[in-house]
Amino acid sequence: MRKLLLALAVVGCSATAVAQNVEIPSKKYSVATNSFWANWFVSAGANFTAAYTSQENNCNVNPFSSDRGTFGFSVAVGKWFTPGIGLRTKFDGIWAKQVNTRTDHHSYKYLNLHEDLMFNLSNLLYGYNEKRVWNFIPYVGIGWARNMTNVNNEVSYNFGLLNNFRVSDRVQIFADLHTAFIDGGFDAAPYDGFAATEKYSMRHYDKLVGLTVGVTYNLGTHTWEKTPDVDALMAMNKEQMDALNASLKEQQDENARLRTLLAQQKSAENVEKVVKEVVNTPLSVFFNINSSRIASRKDLVNVKDLVEYAKANGSKIVVTGYADSKTGSAAYNQQLSQKRADVVANELVKMGVNRDNIEVVAAGGVNNISPYSYNRRVTIQVK
């Protein structure tokens, strides 16, 4: 009689087998709008700048030569209005060179304050991902440049490529490749040899090419909430409800059948036969689509009673993995069903079942249960 009660408990509890923790689907390129004070950041770093001036003659073009290279720093503050578009106010300085000849290349102090429009191509092309390690961000900007040594003010045109590397939720290391185009008279040595048609050529401008390396810190709210995919969510909910209703009806029918059988059986031999039939009813552990991780640990609660029965009677347990044949290729589903079966077999071992008493079967992709999402499972049955 004790075995009979245990078997009934196994069958009665298995009605909860389809209760799953479902991951909410979201749209790849859509996020919820944040407030104005969200997604701000500050940056600071050291920069190396090489000057290419409008008047130079027969000079070494190597940017790392002493003719051109200077060191300085930069600071910036900015905001992302969407995961793909942002604005940044940046200060660059403080040393540059007036390059005239190989022997005439003296330094002067300057500052370049500019506003940049940034485009995070990583998010624009591949969708927002807060855990992405590298973000690829080109930008364009316009600003005010001042030669503090010679008191000269000009408009600066700025272009660059910002590379952000994630360290933590709030901290990033960046490498900013940048260039600034400023009127040829900015360094106080204008180029006078060009014709009128050359006024807007590259030769006309003083150019500052550099690399800044530093740290960015995200202020306040710095992530975006992905927009739920309502259509996919509604389809998933219907799918899960269909599976739940199908499972409940199946268990209700089985319980009714068992009550009828128990009412008809009188002898201990017949009772034992019913017990064996009950415990041979397979239990299911469910998985989400394309996953070999158990969707709900609650499924294993029902398995424990069956495990105790198998251990008490020295029975073998057959673990069979399945995948949904409507999703993925046959080869992929075969591998997925094997992974799912192995995961459940490992759980049985943790419960005290000898590995030699577990038979693992990978059934591949199937579509023999309706709704089809119900096929993403592993069955456990006493042999």
Side-chain angles (χ1 to χ4, degrees):
M1 185 58 68
R2 181 182 177 186
K3 293 180 180 179
L4 176 60
L5 294 176
L6 177 61
L8 288 175
V10 170
V11 175
C13 290
S14 62
T16 62
V18 294
Q20 302 183 35
N21 297 325
V22 181
E23 181 179 350
I24 297 177
S26 58
K27 294 184 178 180
K28 185 176 181 181
Y29 296 102
S30 181
V31 296
T33 303
N34 283 345
S35 71
F36 175 79
W37 300 110
N39 305 105
W40 286 83
F41 63 88
V42 293
S43 301
N47 59 32
F48 175 83
T49 302
Y52 292 84
T53 59
S54 61
Q55 75 284 347
E56 63 184 69
N57 183 28
N58 193 29
C59 296
N60 186 351
V61 297
N62 182 358
F64 302 104
S65 69
S66 60
D67 295 7
R68 302 182 182 278
T70 54
F71 290 92
F73 71 95
S74 73
V75 293
V77 59
K79 171 179 169 58
W80 291 103
F81 293 93
T82 73
I85 298 177
L87 288 176
R88 177 184 68 174
T89 303
K90 184 184 179 187
F91 167 88
D92 295 311
I94 188 170
W95 294 102
K97 285 196 173 182
Q98 182 193 83
V99 183
N100 299 307
T101 66
R102 285 182 178 270
T103 58
D104 183 8
H105 42 76
H106 56 273
S107 300
Y108 63 90
K109 290 184 179 180
Y110 84 102
L111 64 84
N112 181 19
L113 185 65
H114 49 99
E115 189 71 16
D116 300 325
L117 177 61
M118 303 181 296
F119 303 92
N120 188 326
L121 291 186
S122 298
N123 286 335
L124 289 172
L125 296 178
Y126 303 107
Y128 169 66
N129 180 0
E130 64 186 48
K131 301 296 184 181
R132 183 178 287 118
V133 175
W134 174 40
N135 282 281
F136 182 80
I137 308 169
Y139 63 86
V140 295
I142 189 168
W144 165 64
R146 178 178 176 84
N147 184 326
M148 294 182 290
T149 300
N150 298 290
V151 191
N152 190 13
N153 300 289
E154 298 290 350
V155 175
S156 66
Y157 304 94
N158 300 271
F159 307 89
L161 176 61
L162 176 63
N163 298 271
N164 281 344
F165 300 93
R166 181 179 183 273
V167 176
S168 67
D169 288 344
R170 292 193 176 276
V171 178
Q172 299 168 329
I173 293 175
F174 71 84
D176 187 352
L177 292 166
H178 52 84
T179 182
F181 291 82
I182 311 173
D183 186 88
F186 177 68
D187 63 353
Y191 174 66
D192 296 325
F194 60 84
T197 56
E198 296 179 316
K199 182 175 181 180
Y200 299 106
S201 69
M202 291 285 288
R203 178 66 168 165
H204 172 74
Y205 292 94
D206 287 335
K207 297 164 283 292
L208 300 178
V209 181
L211 170 65
T212 302
V213 178
V215 177
T216 295
Y217 184 80
N218 298 317
L219 304 172
T221 301
H222 55 281
T223 57
W224 305 83
E225 292 293 335
K226 293 185 177 181
T227 303
D229 189 334
V230 176
D231 293 337
L233 185 59
M234 291 180 66
M236 180 179 292
N237 286 341
K238 183 179 184 304
E239 185 178 301
Q240 296 299 323
M241 287 302 298
D242 289 344
L244 179 60
N245 291 331
S247 178
L248 288 175
K249 186 177 186 306
E250 178 184 337
Q251 298 306 322
Q252 289 170 353
D253 292 344
E254 181 65 12
N255 287 339
R257 186 182 71 83
L258 291 174
R259 283 193 295 269
T260 301
L261 285 174
L262 290 173
Q264 295 173 350
Q265 304 304 323
K266 301 296 183 180
S267 65
E269 179 181 349
N270 288 334
V271 171
E272 191 69 27
K273 180 180 178 181
V274 174
V275 170
K276 186 174 181 181
E277 183 177 352
V278 171
V279 297
N280 280 339
T281 301
L283 298 181
S284 296
V285 175
F286 292 89
F287 295 78
N288 289 326
I289 186 170
N290 293 334
S291 174
S292 59
R293 182 178 180 181
I294 296 174
S296 174
R297 303 293 296 184
K298 293 180 181 178
D299 291 352
L300 297 176
V301 174
N302 304 328
V303 175
K304 289 182 180 179
D305 292 329
L306 188 63
V307 166
E308 293 302 321
Y309 176 86
K311 290 194 297 184
N313 292 272
S315 303
K316 287 186 175 294
I317 298 177
V318 180
V319 177
T320 307
Y322 301 90
D324 166 24
S325 63
K326 290 190 176 183
T327 305
S329 65
Y332 175 79
N333 285 333
Q334 185 67 34
Q335 295 177 356
L336 183 59
S337 66
Q338 180 70 54
K339 291 179 181 179
R340 288 172 173 173
D342 289 338
V343 167
V344 173
N346 291 336
E347 293 293 337
L348 297 185
V349 172
K350 293 177 183 178
M351 295 179 190
V353 179
N354 191 316
R355 178 62 105 173
D356 295 335
N357 289 335
I358 301 175
E359 179 181 344
V360 176
V361 179
V366 298
N367 188 23
N368 49 23
I369 301 177
S370 181
Y372 61 84
S373 63
Y374 201 44
N375 293 288
R376 303 164 192 155
R377 65 171 181 165
V378 168
T379 60
I380 303 99
Q381 187 174 16
V382 173
K383 189 172 182 180

